[in-house]
Amino acid sequence: MKLNDNEIRDITRCLEEGKPLPDKYRFMLFGDDREIELVWNGKSGDVTNVVLPFQTIEHIDEPRPEKDVAAQPDLFDLATGRQLKGWTNKLIWGDNKFILSSLKNGPLREEIEANGGIKLIYIDPPFDVGADFTMGVEIGEEIFEKESNVLEEIAYRDTWGKGQDSFISMLYERLILLKDLLAPDGAIYVHCDYRVSAYVRLILSEIFGEGSFRNQIIWKRTSAHNDPARYGIIDDHIYFFSKSATDWIWTDHRTEYQDWYVERYYRYQDEKTGKRFLSRDVTAPSHGSDAGVYEWKGKYPPKGRMWAYTKDKMKQMDEAERLFYTSNGIPRLKQYLDEMDGASIQTIWDDILPIVSWSDERSGYPTQKPEALVDRIIQASTNEDDIVCDFFIGSGTTAAVAEKLGRKWICSDLGKFSIHTARKRLIGVQRELKKEGKNYRAFEVLNLGKYEREFFVSGLSELDEKAEQQVENNRELAFNSLILQAYQAEPVSGFRTFRGKKNNRVIAIGPVNMPISRLFAEQVVAECVEKGITKADLLAFEFEMGLFPSIQDEASNKGVDLVLKHIPKEVFDKRAVDRGEAKFHDVAYIDVRAHIDGNNVAIELTNYSVFYTQGITSLTEENLKSGKSQVVVENGQVLKISKDKDGITNPRESLTKNWHDWVDYWSIDFDYASKKEIIHERDPNTGEDVPKWTGSYIFENEWQSFRTRQDRSIELKSVPYELPPGRRKIAVKVVDIFGNDTMKVIEVTIGGKI
């Protein structure tokens, strides 16, 4: 390619000034076979390739038993359905960018490929820039608005911080990873609405190619309503792309004819059978041929047409009374309604109702989609045993439908409350399938483990390594200073993990944009042991699932009193800090009792201590309008604050009357420490994935009780389990109404006492 002098000068000037090349030069110099490209501020082709290990936190392979359970054999037992091998479905908590990268480049990729690859991906990303992502939590007769945690707010900022540019950038990188994960005959459905649909369509075409576009589906998501000064918006858009332009899975599904269609077209009724039928033409274009032109009961086909059937076939149909004659004696074919498969599904879906307040499947998620919608997609684009994925799982609809249809699945979400909601829903599906005598698969709850700080420096790729590190150090220094001030502690230096001290305790602070991992906590304990420190506080916005109490027990065994505390969101509110109302609270604590009778043991949940705070009670009372009420949480008590019509503050009403009002779900592993948690880490020298024991165990969920929207009750004592004689560990896990988990491990001697 030859450039003229003006073009050379333009390119040189851009390079000297550090400006991006205009699009025309980019295409002239480097070429590009993409048919369509959307350009936006911050667009980058960089895609993360980091591989983080998946840590299995919990394994659930059977619904809870309703009566006494006998001792189980060592191998597979048909009565319980315990799954010891084969594919296990996966519910993953974490940032889906790193989940996708780890699936693509890590050891799980081999297992996925061995099971046929991922055939279908359905995603419903958060496309509403105005959403606040609070969740309504039922407490008695009141609804408490649970605020999003800091990790979720950071994810929201990264998605919408720069408006639609941020959203498109977020989705663009993930779609590139998703395409790579799809099987050659796989497909993706992306659900969005009018605000981003045009952009989504263009980036899908850019990544998958216009030849892979299959459909734009319009779903009528709500009934008619008034939008000021414009037409009512009642639809969502779903884009259907295949990975290949020539090969994809497709199963034709039909729906029942609508009443108006039946009335209009199947308007005739057979005099003998009473069956409705449609009158069809029995002629066809002749194309100049006389082959089908003959007399039939005194009638000939119209000019330019012929009979569509031979004379013998016409005779057979007439004898079978399948022909219908008009008043003019013209033969027509009877097409009976009950012989038809129904109508082919078109691109406008107005027959699937949205989730409403009285829907049985309603979970409380504002963006929850109906099972019928996902059911139609899964049945059209997969076969039984295929793998289905959703990386914005929300309340778990995709996983629930996939399980009911006999598909394998991998689903994830950044919200811990989402993972908890989906877990309860999926156990409910297991119970339902077991009751119906149908098969169901085990599923496991996973963390993304071993987070490294450098993976989470965002928006700094244009800086050199030294400058990038300096920016991150300054940011972390400011963050630590803010936390220490709110904690009323003083800064310290000369430590790897500690940033402050308060009285006789050193303080470690977790990062703002990721949960505290076991790796980080172990480093804190290791430095304590190394330097003879016996008391340490570990502060964090979020902790990895399954981290405590095992990490405190490990620390205690090494002579370290390790206290874990949640950092409140109020640390970012100067007024709250100045008034001493930014309260750091301890992680929750469980008390249980084992009831042992011979070789049988039942577990009773006897106490759950929680210390959460959400909202500032005094400020809420100051700002509350007359005649209004608001619910806050103060030191583990859910309080209703209200004012009468004259603006007088009423006495605070506690909505959590008992400790168990906080418990939303609890479960038991009667043989904890029987299954080690193994992760696979890549050896930097050989490039091979090496198995490694994390030091933790997988929680085998064998009994559980939880609240649902239909049934708010919860049992506090399990059914008895028969266990072999001897000493063993039993683990109890509690998830509270906010979706936070806590675990306690006890040791019992069967036939003896704790």
Side-chain angles (χ1 to χ4, degrees), residues 120-133:
L120 171 65
I121 296 170
Y122 167 82
I123 58 172
D124 178 19
F127 49 80
D128 182 0
V129 68
D132 60 8
F133 296 97

PDB file of all heavy atoms in Angstrom, residues 120-133:
ATOM      1  N   LEU A 120     -24.944 -23.611  24.888  1.00  0.00           N
ATOM      2  CA  LEU A 120     -25.829 -22.444  24.948  1.00  0.00           C
ATOM      3  C   LEU A 120     -25.393 -21.522  26.072  1.00  0.00           C
ATOM      4  O   LEU A 120     -25.107 -21.969  27.192  1.00  0.00           O
ATOM      5  CB  LEU A 120     -27.281 -22.877  25.191  1.00  0.00           C
ATOM      6  CG  LEU A 120     -28.281 -21.749  25.487  1.00  0.00           C
ATOM      7  CD1 LEU A 120     -28.442 -20.827  24.278  1.00  0.00           C
ATOM      8  CD2 LEU A 120     -29.631 -22.309  25.903  1.00  0.00           C
ATOM      9  N   ILE A 121     -25.347 -20.230  25.779  1.00  0.00           N
ATOM     10  CA  ILE A 121     -25.142 -19.193  26.787  1.00  0.00           C
ATOM     11  C   ILE A 121     -26.310 -18.218  26.696  1.00  0.00           C
ATOM     12  O   ILE A 121     -26.606 -17.696  25.619  1.00  0.00           O
ATOM     13  CB  ILE A 121     -23.819 -18.446  26.569  1.00  0.00           C
ATOM     14  CG1 ILE A 121     -22.623 -19.400  26.735  1.00  0.00           C
ATOM     15  CG2 ILE A 121     -23.699 -17.270  27.538  1.00  0.00           C
ATOM     16  CD1 ILE A 121     -21.304 -18.799  26.313  1.00  0.00           C
ATOM     17  N   TYR A 122     -26.990 -18.025  27.813  1.00  0.00           N
ATOM     18  CA  TYR A 122     -28.033 -17.001  27.908  1.00  0.00           C
ATOM     19  C   TYR A 122     -27.576 -16.024  28.978  1.00  0.00           C
ATOM     20  O   TYR A 122     -27.236 -16.419  30.098  1.00  0.00           O
ATOM     21  CB  TYR A 122     -29.379 -17.607  28.312  1.00  0.00           C
ATOM     22  CG  TYR A 122     -30.411 -16.567  28.728  1.00  0.00           C
ATOM     23  CD1 TYR A 122     -31.164 -15.883  27.779  1.00  0.00           C
ATOM     24  CD2 TYR A 122     -30.613 -16.264  30.070  1.00  0.00           C
ATOM     25  CE1 TYR A 122     -32.098 -14.924  28.167  1.00  0.00           C
ATOM     26  CE2 TYR A 122     -31.546 -15.305  30.470  1.00  0.00           C
ATOM     27  CZ  TYR A 122     -32.288 -14.644  29.510  1.00  0.00           C
ATOM     28  OH  TYR A 122     -33.205 -13.691  29.892  1.00  0.00           O
ATOM     29  N   ILE A 123     -27.494 -14.737  28.638  1.00  0.00           N
ATOM     30  CA  ILE A 123     -27.137 -13.729  29.635  1.00  0.00           C
ATOM     31  C   ILE A 123     -28.138 -12.583  29.594  1.00  0.00           C
ATOM     32  O   ILE A 123     -28.641 -12.211  28.541  1.00  0.00           O
ATOM     33  CB  ILE A 123     -25.704 -13.186  29.456  1.00  0.00           C
ATOM     34  CG1 ILE A 123     -25.498 -12.570  28.065  1.00  0.00           C
ATOM     35  CG2 ILE A 123     -24.673 -14.267  29.741  1.00  0.00           C
ATOM     36  CD1 ILE A 123     -24.163 -11.844  27.906  1.00  0.00           C
ATOM     37  N   ASP A 124     -28.390 -12.057  30.768  1.00  0.00           N
ATOM     38  CA  ASP A 124     -29.298 -10.926  30.959  1.00  0.00           C
ATOM     39  C   ASP A 124     -28.540  -9.892  31.792  1.00  0.00           C
ATOM     40  O   ASP A 124     -28.776  -9.743  32.986  1.00  0.00           O
ATOM     41  CB  ASP A 124     -30.567 -11.425  31.674  1.00  0.00           C
ATOM     42  CG  ASP A 124     -31.557 -10.309  31.954  1.00  0.00           C
ATOM     43  OD1 ASP A 124     -31.459  -9.248  31.305  1.00  0.00           O
ATOM     44  OD2 ASP A 124     -32.421 -10.503  32.833  1.00  0.00           O
ATOM     45  N   PRO A 125     -27.557  -9.208  31.179  1.00  0.00           N
ATOM     46  CA  PRO A 125     -26.691  -8.298  31.942  1.00  0.00           C
ATOM     47  C   PRO A 125     -27.464  -7.094  32.460  1.00  0.00           C
ATOM     48  O   PRO A 125     -28.554  -6.776  31.965  1.00  0.00           O
ATOM     49  CB  PRO A 125     -25.626  -7.884  30.924  1.00  0.00           C
ATOM     50  CG  PRO A 125     -26.257  -8.084  29.592  1.00  0.00           C
ATOM     51  CD  PRO A 125     -27.205  -9.230  29.747  1.00  0.00           C
ATOM     52  N   PRO A 126     -26.916  -6.394  33.465  1.00  0.00           N
ATOM     53  CA  PRO A 126     -27.632  -5.256  34.066  1.00  0.00           C
ATOM     54  C   PRO A 126     -27.622  -4.047  33.140  1.00  0.00           C
ATOM     55  O   PRO A 126     -26.710  -3.226  33.161  1.00  0.00           O
ATOM     56  CB  PRO A 126     -26.822  -4.979  35.345  1.00  0.00           C
ATOM     57  CG  PRO A 126     -25.446  -5.458  35.023  1.00  0.00           C
ATOM     58  CD  PRO A 126     -25.617  -6.635  34.112  1.00  0.00           C
ATOM     59  N   PHE A 127     -28.668  -3.937  32.318  1.00  0.00           N
ATOM     60  CA  PHE A 127     -28.686  -2.890  31.288  1.00  0.00           C
ATOM     61  C   PHE A 127     -29.440  -1.639  31.716  1.00  0.00           C
ATOM     62  O   PHE A 127     -29.605  -0.715  30.937  1.00  0.00           O
ATOM     63  CB  PHE A 127     -29.287  -3.431  29.983  1.00  0.00           C
ATOM     64  CG  PHE A 127     -30.593  -4.170  30.158  1.00  0.00           C
ATOM     65  CD1 PHE A 127     -31.791  -3.495  30.306  1.00  0.00           C
ATOM     66  CD2 PHE A 127     -30.624  -5.554  30.153  1.00  0.00           C
ATOM     67  CE1 PHE A 127     -32.987  -4.169  30.456  1.00  0.00           C
ATOM     68  CE2 PHE A 127     -31.820  -6.252  30.288  1.00  0.00           C
ATOM     69  CZ  PHE A 127     -33.003  -5.557  30.438  1.00  0.00           C
ATOM     70  N   ASP A 128     -29.898  -1.609  32.968  1.00  0.00           N
ATOM     71  CA  ASP A 128     -30.654  -0.447  33.458  1.00  0.00           C
ATOM     72  C   ASP A 128     -29.725   0.467  34.238  1.00  0.00           C
ATOM     73  O   ASP A 128     -29.343   0.170  35.374  1.00  0.00           O
ATOM     74  CB  ASP A 128     -31.813  -0.909  34.344  1.00  0.00           C
ATOM     75  CG  ASP A 128     -32.663   0.258  34.827  1.00  0.00           C
ATOM     76  OD1 ASP A 128     -32.352   1.415  34.469  1.00  0.00           O
ATOM     77  OD2 ASP A 128     -33.633   0.013  35.555  1.00  0.00           O
ATOM     78  N   VAL A 129     -29.332   1.592  33.627  1.00  0.00           N
ATOM     79  CA  VAL A 129     -28.387   2.511  34.268  1.00  0.00           C
ATOM     80  C   VAL A 129     -28.970   3.130  35.532  1.00  0.00           C
ATOM     81  O   VAL A 129     -28.241   3.581  36.403  1.00  0.00           O
ATOM     82  CB  VAL A 129     -27.961   3.615  33.274  1.00  0.00           C
ATOM     83  CG1 VAL A 129     -29.120   4.534  32.963  1.00  0.00           C
ATOM     84  CG2 VAL A 129     -26.801   4.431  33.822  1.00  0.00           C
ATOM     85  N   GLY A 130     -30.281   3.115  35.690  1.00  0.00           N
ATOM     86  CA  GLY A 130     -30.890   3.743  36.862  1.00  0.00           C
ATOM     87  C   GLY A 130     -31.147   2.793  38.005  1.00  0.00           C
ATOM     88  O   GLY A 130     -31.640   3.201  39.053  1.00  0.00           O
ATOM     89  N   ALA A 131     -30.788   1.511  37.847  1.00  0.00           N
ATOM     90  CA  ALA A 131     -31.076   0.540  38.896  1.00  0.00           C
ATOM     91  C   ALA A 131     -30.185   0.777  40.108  1.00  0.00           C
ATOM     92  O   ALA A 131     -29.041   1.188  39.983  1.00  0.00           O
ATOM     93  CB  ALA A 131     -30.867  -0.880  38.371  1.00  0.00           C
ATOM     94  N   ASP A 132     -30.722   0.521  41.316  1.00  0.00           N
ATOM     95  CA  ASP A 132     -29.913   0.684  42.520  1.00  0.00           C
ATOM     96  C   ASP A 132     -29.518  -0.652  43.141  1.00  0.00           C
ATOM     97  O   ASP A 132     -28.733  -0.711  44.070  1.00  0.00           O
ATOM     98  CB  ASP A 132     -30.636   1.551  43.557  1.00  0.00           C
ATOM     99  CG  ASP A 132     -31.963   0.948  43.996  1.00  0.00           C
ATOM    100  OD1 ASP A 132     -32.264  -0.203  43.617  1.00  0.00           O
ATOM    101  OD2 ASP A 132     -32.697   1.634  44.732  1.00  0.00           O
ATOM    102  N   PHE A 133     -30.085  -1.766  42.645  1.00  0.00           N
ATOM    103  CA  PHE A 133     -29.701  -3.118  43.041  1.00  0.00           C
ATOM    104  C   PHE A 133     -29.907  -3.398  44.526  1.00  0.00           C
ATOM    105  O   PHE A 133     -29.218  -4.221  45.108  1.00  0.00           O
ATOM    106  CB  PHE A 133     -28.250  -3.426  42.628  1.00  0.00           C
ATOM    107  CG  PHE A 133     -28.067  -3.424  41.136  1.00  0.00           C
ATOM    108  CD1 PHE A 133     -27.592  -2.295  40.488  1.00  0.00           C
ATOM    109  CD2 PHE A 133     -28.413  -4.532  40.396  1.00  0.00           C
ATOM    110  CE1 PHE A 133     -27.449  -2.285  39.105  1.00  0.00           C
ATOM    111  CE2 PHE A 133     -28.268  -4.540  39.023  1.00  0.00           C
ATOM    112  CZ  PHE A 133     -27.792  -3.410  38.375  1.00  0.00           C
TER     113      PHE A 133
END
